[in-house]
Each structure stands twice: as C-alpha cells, then as structure tokens.
Amino acid sequence: MAAAQRGDGEAYRALLSEVQVWLVGFFRRRSPPAWVDDLVQDTMLALHQHRHTFDPSLPFMPWLSTIARYKWVDHLRRRLRAAEVELTDETALAGGDPFGTLAAHAIRQLLAELPPGQALAIQTVKVEGFSIDEAARRTGQSPSLVKVNIHRGLRRLAALLEKDELP
Amino acid sequence: MNSLIDELVADLKPVKAVTPTALARRLGIALLASLLLVTAGIGLRPDWAEALLTPVMWWNIGCTGLVGLSGAAMLYVAALPGRPAPRWPVAGLLAGAGLALATAITYLASDPAEALSHARGPMDGLRCGAWILLASVPPLLACLAFIRRSAPVRPARAALLTGLVSGSFGALAFALHCPEDTPLHVAAWHVLAIGVLAVSARALLTRWLRW
C-alpha cells in the first residue's frame, strides 16, 4: 500500500487482487450472497478514494478491515431505513418477502439488541417471511401489535446504527 | 470485478499520507483568524496583557486549551480508519472539563454572595456565547476541511468532536476579549457555548460526514 501511495501501479494491482479475495471472505461471513459483490466494490472504491488516509508506518489490515466494517454497517443501515419505509406500504407487508430486504445472517446479531417482542415480530415477518396475520397467530401478538413492533424495532435498529453504538 | 481493478490502477496517482500536521496547521491558522475576528469585531480587553498574568486567565486558557487540543487529537484519530487511539487525549479532555467545573463550583461554594455579586445579567452571558460561536467559525471550517478529506468511521463521534474543538478554539480566542473573568462566568457561558456547538455539530454534520 505504501508503494501504491507513491503511485506504483503494479504493486497496487497486486494489492487490490489480494484485497478483493479477502473482502469476498469478509462479506460472505456477514451478508447474504446477493450483497457481497456490491459491498466488495464499494469497499474497493472507498479504499481507492481514501488511500491517503493510510499511514505507511502502521499495519495495513486494521486499516482495511475498519473500512470494510464501516461499509458493511453503512449498507446495513441503509437497508434498515429502506425496510422501514417499505413498512408503510401494506402490500409489501402482505407478501411477507422472505430474505428480500433483510437477510437472516445480517440481522441475527442486530436482533439481540432489541426487546424480545420487537425482535420476534421482525424475525417472524421480515426474516422468516410469514404474513402479518400468520405472524400474529404464531407470536400471540395482535396483527396491529406485530406491525407496531416491526416498525419500532426497525426504527430502533436504524437509530443504533446511526449512533455507531453497535459492537 | 477485475475491470474495477483495472480502472482503479489506471486512476492511480501518487498521494501524500495524512499526518497530524495537516490538522495542526489548519487549526493554527484558524486560531489566528479567530483572534483577528474578535480583535476587529469587539476588540481585546484593554488590560489583556496584564490579564494574561492572572491565575484566573491561566485557568481559563489552560482548561479551554486542554479541551481543544485533546479534542483535536481525538478528532485526528477518529477521522482516520485503523489508527490506534492513545489514551492521553481522553484524559486531557476529562481533566480540562473537570478542572473548569470543579473550580467554578469551589468558587461559588466558598462565598456564594460574593460570587453572585460579580455575576451580571444573562444578556452579557448570551453576548459572550454568541461571540464564541462566531469566533468558532474559522476553526469549524478548518476541522471540516480536514475531515472531508479523511474517512471517519464513526461519523457521529467525529461530528461531535468537530463541534467541541471548534467551540474550544473559539472560546480560547474570545478569552482575550472577555472582561468578565470570574470562574462562574466562564464555566457557565463559555462552557455552554462550546456544548451547544458540539451538540449542534453532532446533530447537523453526522449525515454529511458519511462516505
């Protein structure tokens, strides 16, 4: 990376190829497959645009993984915002939409941050894909409570991401 | 995906790694600009040279400067990914803020009637606060110029620190004008102005600092 900062194209190409492989692994562990390409591209672009923020006297990996993690949280935050907006649309709710906007592995650790009622509602509808009515029967919450819980839970998760409060 | 690598390699130009000097130089120039702004706008206090020798001024400049410099060090680390965060800035920040408030409380508690007899109306305090906000504009621009070229991974924290540093540098410049140098006044109004700037910066700038 230090050579790349000086403008060495060959060193940069070699570095980017290795970075790409590492990033694919990094994001596969954290996101559904459909997100991986976007996240890898976003992170490589960010690395390129912010390459002057790397200090050549420090190790490279903490710098790269911090950028990758930031891009992942940012992606998640935007997905949560989008899911929240979608909730105001009844038709989107009726379909259930399993793994559509929120994928299981991305959201599993986030749900631990929520009160159980909200986590259960989001898990049942947004992750497992049940309709509101089915979710109400399965969770014992009334249909309107399921909706309220999803809405509040998503808003809370998005707020947590805004505040950088997640681990 | 490999076409992306080709594009990035083709676009590669030499860059200079960011160093602390980049922020320090900008903040130094900004502090001078703030001093000029205060001098040209309302003038320094007539006895500023003698006032600089009084303990209350050392305390004022010491606490504000400590918070400003510690905050600037924290901002530098917050603005760049993967930097190890040293502990001394956090200690400096807490020490500066703690000393400021502790002194004011001790001063007030030791002789409340005497302390309050020096306190003027809120209009004077608000005027000081407003001037500190104005004097904070050059350091705010300096911080923003620095941080826009960097990559803060915790935008909310970086935004808060931007406000804190700007406010402290503004208050530092304003200290040479402020004729009311009692601990109570400084701890109430100067600290309030810095706090308002820090909270507003966090609310308004966080979104803008995402990348």
Side-chain angles (χ1 to χ4, degrees):
Chain A
M1 189 66 200
Q5 282 182 325
R6 291 193 297 271
D8 182 339
E10 280 319 299
Y12 194 41
R13 181 182 299 278
L15 178 81
L16 287 179
S17 309
E18 284 184 40
V19 162
Q20 187 183 346
V21 172
W22 187 85
L23 286 175
V24 168
F26 179 89
F27 289 124
R28 271 201 188 139
R29 285 193 299 277
R30 287 167 176 77
S31 336
W35 296 8
V36 172
D37 272 2
D38 274 359
L39 279 165
V40 171
Q41 283 203 18
D42 265 11
T43 311
M44 286 177 63
L45 267 174
L47 174 152
H48 182 74
Q49 281 159 359
H50 297 95
R51 60 192 190 279
H52 59 280
T53 66
F54 172 69
D55 178 346
S57 70
L58 292 172
F60 175 70
M61 284 316 288
W63 182 74
L64 176 65
S65 61
T66 307
I67 293 179
R69 192 186 169 284
Y70 173 77
K71 283 292 163 191
W72 176 68
V73 168
D74 193 53
H75 198 81
L76 219 47
R77 188 181 53 77
R78 279 186 278 123
R79 293 277 171 159
L80 283 169
R81 281 269 177 250
E84 199 192 328
V85 169
E86 197 180 87
L87 264 179
T88 55
D89 183 354
E90 288 289 330
T91 53
L93 280 171
D97 192 23
F99 295 94
T101 39
L102 295 174
H105 22 339
I107 200 147
R108 197 181 302 130
Q109 71 190 94
L110 296 178
L111 288 179
E113 305 285 324
L114 292 182
Q118 293 174 7
L120 185 62
I122 293 178
Q123 172 76 27
T124 315
V125 176
K126 298 306 279 186
V127 179
E128 290 167 11
F130 290 102
S131 72
I132 295 288
D133 289 334
E134 280 170 314
R137 272 195 300 279
R138 287 175 162 263
T139 60
Q141 301 172 358
S142 70
S144 58
L145 183 62
V146 170
K147 275 196 266 186
V148 168
N149 271 338
I150 293 174
H151 191 73
R152 287 195 183 149
L154 290 177
R155 199 167 53 191
R156 190 170 164 139
L157 284 181
L160 284 173
L161 288 170
E162 303 271 349
K163 286 184 194 153
D164 317 318
E165 276 175 9
L166 286 170
Chain B
M1 186 68 86
N2 288 322
S3 65
L4 176 68
I5 294 185
D6 289 339
E7 278 172 40
L8 297 185
V9 171
D11 187 54
L12 183 70
K13 290 174 201 73
V15 288
K16 235 177 124 248
V18 183
T19 60
T21 325
L23 181 60
R25 197 183 51 231
R26 286 188 172 100
L27 278 175
I29 296 170
L31 185 60
L32 282 179
S34 297
L35 274 170
L36 280 176
L37 195 69
V38 170
T39 311
I42 39 175
L44 301 186
R45 53 191 280 177
D47 61 342
W48 66 270
E50 294 103 78
L52 271 177
L53 301 173
T54 60
V56 73
M57 190 63 111
W58 300 342
W59 164 80
N60 183 349
I61 289 181
C63 292
T64 319
L66 193 57
V67 170
L69 288 179
S70 307
M74 288 168 77
L75 179 65
Y76 178 76
V77 172
L80 302 165
R83 301 278 161 125
R87 292 218 180 126
W88 69 263
V90 183
L93 192 73
L94 294 176
L99 186 64
L101 295 178
T103 309
I105 291 168
T106 314
Y107 170 76
L108 181 63
S110 63
D111 191 347
E114 162 75 10
L116 291 172
S117 73
H118 289 292
R120 288 195 256 166
M123 285 319 288
D124 282 318
L126 286 176
R127 188 177 148 276
C128 282
W131 268 101
I132 289 176
L133 292 185
L134 197 63
S136 303
V137 172
L140 181 66
L141 295 177
C143 289
L144 292 180
F146 170 77
I147 210 160
R148 277 303 275 178
R149 272 203 77 232
S150 61
V153 289
R154 295 179 140 200
R157 181 187 168 91
L160 182 80
L161 286 168
T162 295
L164 185 79
V165 171
S166 314
S168 304
F169 275 68
L172 206 56
F174 182 75
L176 286 178
H177 161 81
C178 192
E180 284 188 67
D181 48 12
T182 66
L184 200 57
H185 171 84
V186 173
W189 296 105
H190 294 206
V191 169
L192 184 71
I194 296 171
V196 164
L197 202 62
V199 172
S200 329
R202 190 188 186 284
L204 300 174
L205 294 180
T206 302
R207 195 173 290 261
W208 189 68
L209 291 183
R210 294 219 173 90
W211 46 282

